[in-house]
Amino acid sequence: MKTVTGRRYAVLVVLGLSLALPARARAQDTGDLGIALGAKPPAVTIEDLDGRPVDLGQIVGKKPVLFEFWATWCPLCEALLPKLEAAHARYGSQMDFVAVAVAINQSQSSVKRHLALHPIPFRFLWDSNGNAVRAFQAPSTSYVVVLDASGKVAYTGSGDEQDIDAAVRRVVTAN
């Protein structure tokens, strides 16, 4: 019988719980879960979809950035996508949008195949060993973190009913 490691088990439990929450609860700021508002996430290195290292510290602190912790199999991510695409169309020249593909039940090649069939206009990165998940304390997929231009957390939220436009507008107009 296959055993599940402690870290993987915790991630699976949190993902399951986040999907079981009512829609209104899923749309709320994450409160005690996830990285704290005002915090600066630690610089970590993950990969692009071709396996090349990407230092998130090179992205953070230059202009506002939105990170979404994402998976091909995540129904909340799919439901949130129109809001993210609309915000990207409106504010994409003023801030970066980065999807962090989590390495749970998907591979780099499955993410690439998905994006070939369903293009999404953001930069996609691959979190092969959970470095970004741990750094941002991501409680689930569909978890969004918006950083201001100085690299501080200005917004966190999870679920498909987040007001992405308002969260992004706040950091763009603050510049």
Side-chain angles (χ1 to χ4, degrees):
M1 175 185 269
K2 230 180 192 179
T3 61
V4 178
T5 64
R7 182 183 77 160
R8 211 170 254 194
Y9 177 76
V11 169
L12 292 173
V13 168
V14 169
L15 287 173
L17 290 173
S18 70
L19 293 174
L21 292 172
R24 288 190 64 74
R26 289 192 317 248
Q28 304 303 313
D29 287 350
T30 53
D32 292 337
L33 298 176
I35 194 165
L37 293 177
K40 281 192 173 186
V44 296
T45 299
I46 58 177
E47 300 173 358
D48 66 15
L49 292 179
D50 293 320
R52 290 183 297 259
V54 175
D55 178 359
L56 295 185
Q58 297 299 313
I59 299 171
V60 172
K62 295 181 177 158
K63 61 182 181 177
V65 60
L66 178 148
F67 289 97
E68 181 196 14
F69 289 82
W70 178 92
T72 58
W73 46 261
C74 171
L76 296 175
C77 299
E78 183 68 26
L80 188 59
L81 183 58
K83 293 178 183 181
L84 291 166
E85 288 177 324
H88 180 267
R90 188 170 185 186
Y91 303 107
S93 65
Q94 300 167 337
M95 68 181 293
D96 290 327
F97 287 74
V98 179
V100 177
V102 298
I104 299 172
N105 292 332
Q106 63 183 358
S107 64
Q108 284 171 300
S109 58
S110 67
V111 171
K112 285 182 181 181
R113 281 192 305 274
H114 180 87
L115 294 173
L117 294 172
H118 312 284
I120 300 174
F122 322 137
R123 181 177 187 184
F124 270 79
L125 299 177
W126 176 248
D127 194 15
S128 62
N129 59 11
N131 282 345
V133 166
R134 284 187 300 281
F136 287 85
Q137 303 168 37
S140 66
T141 53
S142 81
Y143 178 61
V144 172
V145 177
V146 176
L147 304 178
D148 65 19
S150 72
K152 291 182 182 175
V153 176
Y155 169 86
T156 64
S158 187
D160 58 345
E161 293 185 21
Q162 299 176 66
D163 190 347
I164 298 299
D165 188 75
V168 168
R169 187 176 349 103
R170 278 194 302 271
V171 297
V172 168
T173 58
N175 272 345

